[in-house]
PDB file of all heavy atoms in Angstrom:
ATOM      1  N   GLY A  51     155.105-150.240  55.429  1.00 62.00           N
ATOM      2  CA  GLY A  51     155.803-151.414  54.951  1.00 62.00           C
ATOM      3  C   GLY A  51     155.852-152.565  55.929  1.00 62.00           C
ATOM      4  O   GLY A  51     156.417-153.623  55.622  1.00 62.00           O
ATOM      5  N   ILE A  52     155.286-152.403  57.105  1.00 74.00           N
ATOM      6  CA  ILE A  52     155.328-153.469  58.110  1.00 74.00           C
ATOM      7  C   ILE A  52     153.960-154.110  58.183  1.00 74.00           C
ATOM      8  O   ILE A  52     152.953-153.452  58.461  1.00 74.00           O
ATOM      9  CB  ILE A  52     155.713-152.906  59.499  1.00 74.00           C
ATOM     10  CG1 ILE A  52     157.085-152.254  59.409  1.00 74.00           C
ATOM     11  CG2 ILE A  52     155.682-154.003  60.548  1.00 74.00           C
ATOM     12  CD1 ILE A  52     157.467-151.456  60.646  1.00 74.00           C
ATOM     13  N   PRO A  53     153.878-155.435  57.900  1.00 79.00           N
ATOM     14  CA  PRO A  53     152.567-156.105  57.965  1.00 79.00           C
ATOM     15  C   PRO A  53     152.138-156.388  59.388  1.00 79.00           C
ATOM     16  O   PRO A  53     152.950-156.752  60.255  1.00 79.00           O
ATOM     17  CB  PRO A  53     152.812-157.413  57.188  1.00 79.00           C
ATOM     18  CG  PRO A  53     154.268-157.666  57.306  1.00 79.00           C
ATOM     19  CD  PRO A  53     154.935-156.320  57.432  1.00 79.00           C
ATOM     20  N   HIS A  54     150.868-156.163  59.648  1.00 83.00           N
ATOM     21  CA  HIS A  54     150.255-156.472  60.938  1.00 83.00           C
ATOM     22  C   HIS A  54     149.061-157.388  60.642  1.00 83.00           C
ATOM     23  O   HIS A  54     148.686-157.575  59.497  1.00 83.00           O
ATOM     24  CB  HIS A  54     149.770-155.196  61.640  1.00 83.00           C
ATOM     25  CG  HIS A  54     150.854-154.205  61.851  1.00 83.00           C
ATOM     26  ND1 HIS A  54     151.748-154.282  62.881  1.00 83.00           N
ATOM     27  CD2 HIS A  54     151.197-153.103  61.141  1.00 83.00           C
ATOM     28  CE1 HIS A  54     152.596-153.278  62.813  1.00 83.00           C
ATOM     29  NE2 HIS A  54     152.294-152.534  61.753  1.00 83.00           N
ATOM     30  N   GLY A  55     148.436-157.883  61.644  1.00 86.00           N
ATOM     31  CA  GLY A  55     147.294-158.753  61.439  1.00 86.00           C
ATOM     32  C   GLY A  55     147.695-160.193  61.683  1.00 86.00           C
ATOM     33  O   GLY A  55     148.480-160.477  62.577  1.00 86.00           O
ATOM     34  N   GLY A  56     147.203-161.081  60.873  1.00 90.00           N
ATOM     35  CA  GLY A  56     147.545-162.476  61.037  1.00 90.00           C
ATOM     36  C   GLY A  56     146.453-163.391  60.538  1.00 90.00           C
ATOM     37  O   GLY A  56     145.449-162.967  59.971  1.00 90.00           O
ATOM     38  N   PHE A  57     146.660-164.694  60.763  1.00 93.00           N
ATOM     39  CA  PHE A  57     145.717-165.721  60.333  1.00 93.00           C
ATOM     40  C   PHE A  57     144.847-166.112  61.520  1.00 93.00           C
ATOM     41  O   PHE A  57     145.354-166.348  62.633  1.00 93.00           O
ATOM     42  CB  PHE A  57     146.487-166.939  59.800  1.00 93.00           C
ATOM     43  CG  PHE A  57     145.597-167.967  59.169  1.00 93.00           C
ATOM     44  CD1 PHE A  57     145.069-167.758  57.910  1.00 93.00           C
ATOM     45  CD2 PHE A  57     145.283-169.120  59.845  1.00 93.00           C
ATOM     46  CE1 PHE A  57     144.249-168.721  57.327  1.00 93.00           C
ATOM     47  CE2 PHE A  57     144.472-170.079  59.269  1.00 93.00           C
ATOM     48  CZ  PHE A  57     143.957-169.879  58.008  1.00 93.00           C
ATOM     49  N   PHE A  58     143.554-166.189  61.332  1.00 94.00           N
ATOM     50  CA  PHE A  58     142.597-166.541  62.355  1.00 94.00           C
ATOM     51  C   PHE A  58     141.953-167.874  61.973  1.00 94.00           C
ATOM     52  O   PHE A  58     141.034-167.917  61.142  1.00 94.00           O
ATOM     53  CB  PHE A  58     141.531-165.440  62.522  1.00 94.00           C
ATOM     54  CG  PHE A  58     142.099-164.155  63.045  1.00 94.00           C
ATOM     55  CD1 PHE A  58     142.803-163.277  62.230  1.00 94.00           C
ATOM     56  CD2 PHE A  58     141.958-163.843  64.395  1.00 94.00           C
ATOM     57  CE1 PHE A  58     143.317-162.107  62.715  1.00 94.00           C
ATOM     58  CE2 PHE A  58     142.479-162.645  64.895  1.00 94.00           C
ATOM     59  CZ  PHE A  58     143.177-161.781  64.064  1.00 94.00           C
ATOM     60  N   ALA A  59     142.464-168.972  62.546  1.00 94.00           N
ATOM     61  CA  ALA A  59     141.967-170.302  62.255  1.00 94.00           C
ATOM     62  C   ALA A  59     140.619-170.521  62.914  1.00 94.00           C
ATOM     63  O   ALA A  59     140.440-170.218  64.094  1.00 94.00           O
ATOM     64  CB  ALA A  59     142.963-171.359  62.711  1.00 94.00           C
ATOM     65  N   TYR A  60     139.684-171.057  62.157  1.00 95.00           N
ATOM     66  CA  TYR A  60     138.327-171.259  62.669  1.00 95.00           C
ATOM     67  C   TYR A  60     138.314-172.208  63.854  1.00 95.00           C
ATOM     68  O   TYR A  60     137.592-171.982  64.821  1.00 95.00           O
ATOM     69  CB  TYR A  60     137.429-171.786  61.569  1.00 95.00           C
ATOM     70  CG  TYR A  60     137.317-170.876  60.364  1.00 95.00           C
ATOM     71  CD1 TYR A  60     137.228-171.399  59.088  1.00 95.00           C
ATOM     72  CD2 TYR A  60     137.327-169.481  60.501  1.00 95.00           C
ATOM     73  CE1 TYR A  60     137.139-170.583  57.982  1.00 95.00           C
ATOM     74  CE2 TYR A  60     137.233-168.660  59.409  1.00 95.00           C
ATOM     75  CZ  TYR A  60     137.145-169.223  58.135  1.00 95.00           C
ATOM     76  OH  TYR A  60     137.061-168.407  57.048  1.00 95.00           O
ATOM     77  N   ASN A  61     139.139-173.253  63.819  1.00 95.00           N
ATOM     78  CA  ASN A  61     139.104-174.227  64.914  1.00 95.00           C
ATOM     79  C   ASN A  61     139.693-173.677  66.207  1.00 95.00           C
ATOM     80  O   ASN A  61     139.412-174.160  67.295  1.00 95.00           O
ATOM     81  CB  ASN A  61     139.790-175.547  64.521  1.00 95.00           C
ATOM     82  CG  ASN A  61     141.241-175.385  64.190  1.00 95.00           C
ATOM     83  OD1 ASN A  61     141.785-174.285  64.241  1.00 95.00           O
ATOM     84  ND2 ASN A  61     141.891-176.487  63.816  1.00 95.00           N
ATOM     85  N   GLN A  62     140.549-172.661  66.126  1.00 95.00           N
ATOM     86  CA  GLN A  62     141.128-172.066  67.347  1.00 95.00           C
ATOM     87  C   GLN A  62     140.166-171.087  68.015  1.00 95.00           C
ATOM     88  O   GLN A  62     140.338-170.765  69.174  1.00 95.00           O
ATOM     89  CB  GLN A  62     142.439-171.365  67.008  1.00 95.00           C
ATOM     90  CG  GLN A  62     143.558-172.303  66.681  1.00 95.00           C
ATOM     91  CD  GLN A  62     144.859-171.545  66.392  1.00 95.00           C
ATOM     92  OE1 GLN A  62     144.839-170.372  66.032  1.00 95.00           O
ATOM     93  NE2 GLN A  62     145.961-172.245  66.572  1.00 95.00           N
ATOM     94  N   TYR A  63     139.198-170.588  67.264  1.00 95.00           N
ATOM     95  CA  TYR A  63     138.257-169.605  67.810  1.00 95.00           C
ATOM     96  C   TYR A  63     136.854-170.161  68.023  1.00 95.00           C
ATOM     97  O   TYR A  63     135.947-169.427  68.392  1.00 95.00           O
ATOM     98  CB  TYR A  63     138.205-168.367  66.913  1.00 95.00           C
ATOM     99  CG  TYR A  63     139.456-167.530  67.003  1.00 95.00           C
ATOM    100  CD1 TYR A  63     140.532-167.775  66.167  1.00 95.00           C
ATOM    101  CD2 TYR A  63     139.553-166.518  67.954  1.00 95.00           C
ATOM    102  CE1 TYR A  63     141.695-167.019  66.267  1.00 95.00           C
ATOM    103  CE2 TYR A  63     140.709-165.755  68.050  1.00 95.00           C
ATOM    104  CZ  TYR A  63     141.771-166.015  67.203  1.00 95.00           C
ATOM    105  OH  TYR A  63     142.910-165.272  67.310  1.00 95.00           O
ATOM    106  N   GLY A  64     136.675-171.443  67.747  1.00 94.00           N
ATOM    107  CA  GLY A  64     135.354-172.031  67.962  1.00 94.00           C
ATOM    108  C   GLY A  64     134.417-171.866  66.789  1.00 94.00           C
ATOM    109  O   GLY A  64     133.203-171.938  66.962  1.00 94.00           O
ATOM    110  N   GLY A  65     134.926-171.611  65.619  1.00 93.00           N
ATOM    111  CA  GLY A  65     134.105-171.490  64.414  1.00 93.00           C
ATOM    112  C   GLY A  65     134.367-170.217  63.657  1.00 93.00           C
ATOM    113  O   GLY A  65     135.029-169.278  64.152  1.00 93.00           O
ATOM    114  N   PRO A  66     133.857-170.163  62.424  1.00 93.00           N
ATOM    115  CA  PRO A  66     134.075-168.991  61.558  1.00 93.00           C
ATOM    116  C   PRO A  66     133.572-167.667  62.146  1.00 93.00           C
ATOM    117  O   PRO A  66     134.224-166.645  62.056  1.00 93.00           O
ATOM    118  CB  PRO A  66     133.336-169.347  60.277  1.00 93.00           C
ATOM    119  CG  PRO A  66     133.245-170.810  60.260  1.00 93.00           C
ATOM    120  CD  PRO A  66     133.158-171.225  61.705  1.00 93.00           C
ATOM    121  N   GLU A  67     132.394-167.707  62.748  1.00 93.00           N
ATOM    122  CA  GLU A  67     131.817-166.475  63.307  1.00 93.00           C
ATOM    123  C   GLU A  67     132.752-165.833  64.335  1.00 93.00           C
ATOM    124  O   GLU A  67     133.049-164.644  64.271  1.00 93.00           O
ATOM    125  CB  GLU A  67     130.454-166.790  63.969  1.00 93.00           C
ATOM    126  CG  GLU A  67     129.802-165.597  64.628  1.00 93.00           C
ATOM    127  CD  GLU A  67     128.878-164.815  63.714  1.00 93.00           C
ATOM    128  OE1 GLU A  67     128.330-165.405  62.777  1.00 93.00           O
ATOM    129  OE2 GLU A  67     128.700-163.608  63.954  1.00 93.00           O
ATOM    130  N   TYR A  68     133.265-166.635  65.257  1.00 94.00           N
ATOM    131  CA  TYR A  68     134.121-166.105  66.306  1.00 94.00           C
ATOM    132  C   TYR A  68     135.494-165.692  65.763  1.00 94.00           C
ATOM    133  O   TYR A  68     136.081-164.711  66.238  1.00 94.00           O
ATOM    134  CB  TYR A  68     134.276-167.125  67.444  1.00 94.00           C
ATOM    135  CG  TYR A  68     132.962-167.464  68.102  1.00 94.00           C
ATOM    136  CD1 TYR A  68     132.407-168.720  67.991  1.00 94.00           C
ATOM    137  CD2 TYR A  68     132.241-166.484  68.806  1.00 94.00           C
ATOM    138  CE1 TYR A  68     131.181-169.035  68.579  1.00 94.00           C
ATOM    139  CE2 TYR A  68     131.033-166.785  69.392  1.00 94.00           C
ATOM    140  CZ  TYR A  68     130.508-168.056  69.274  1.00 94.00           C
ATOM    141  OH  TYR A  68     129.307-168.347  69.845  1.00 94.00           O
ATOM    142  N   ALA A  69     136.002-166.437  64.795  1.00 94.00           N
ATOM    143  CA  ALA A  69     137.298-166.075  64.203  1.00 94.00           C
ATOM    144  C   ALA A  69     137.198-164.746  63.457  1.00 94.00           C
ATOM    145  O   ALA A  69     138.095-163.893  63.577  1.00 94.00           O
ATOM    146  CB  ALA A  69     137.774-167.195  63.264  1.00 94.00           C
ATOM    147  N   ILE A  70     136.139-164.564  62.726  1.00 93.00           N
ATOM    148  CA  ILE A  70     135.948-163.315  61.956  1.00 93.00           C
ATOM    149  C   ILE A  70     135.708-162.145  62.919  1.00 93.00           C
ATOM    150  O   ILE A  70     136.225-161.045  62.716  1.00 93.00           O
ATOM    151  CB  ILE A  70     134.849-163.466  60.916  1.00 93.00           C
ATOM    152  CG1 ILE A  70     135.329-164.448  59.825  1.00 93.00           C
ATOM    153  CG2 ILE A  70     134.438-162.138  60.328  1.00 93.00           C
ATOM    154  CD1 ILE A  70     134.275-164.855  58.825  1.00 93.00           C
ATOM    155  N   GLU A  71     134.948-162.366  63.986  1.00 93.00           N
ATOM    156  CA  GLU A  71     134.745-161.301  64.980  1.00 93.00           C
ATOM    157  C   GLU A  71     136.065-160.924  65.628  1.00 93.00           C
ATOM    158  O   GLU A  71     136.319-159.739  65.861  1.00 93.00           O
ATOM    159  CB  GLU A  71     133.736-161.763  66.021  1.00 93.00           C
ATOM    160  CG  GLU A  71     132.308-161.790  65.529  1.00 93.00           C
ATOM    161  CD  GLU A  71     131.325-162.328  66.549  1.00 93.00           C
ATOM    162  OE1 GLU A  71     131.756-162.733  67.659  1.00 93.00           O
ATOM    163  OE2 GLU A  71     130.129-162.357  66.248  1.00 93.00           O
ATOM    164  N   ALA A  72     136.928-161.905  65.911  1.00 94.00           N
ATOM    165  CA  ALA A  72     138.245-161.605  66.471  1.00 94.00           C
ATOM    166  C   ALA A  72     139.099-160.837  65.481  1.00 94.00           C
ATOM    167  O   ALA A  72     139.816-159.890  65.858  1.00 94.00           O
ATOM    168  CB  ALA A  72     138.958-162.910  66.873  1.00 94.00           C
TER     169      ALA A  72
END
Side-chain angles (χ1 to χ4, degrees):
I52 300 169
H54 303 279
F57 188 76
F58 294 79
Y60 302 143
N61 62 0
Q62 289 181 336
Y63 287 89
E67 177 91 27
Y68 299 113
I70 291 172
E71 287 176 358

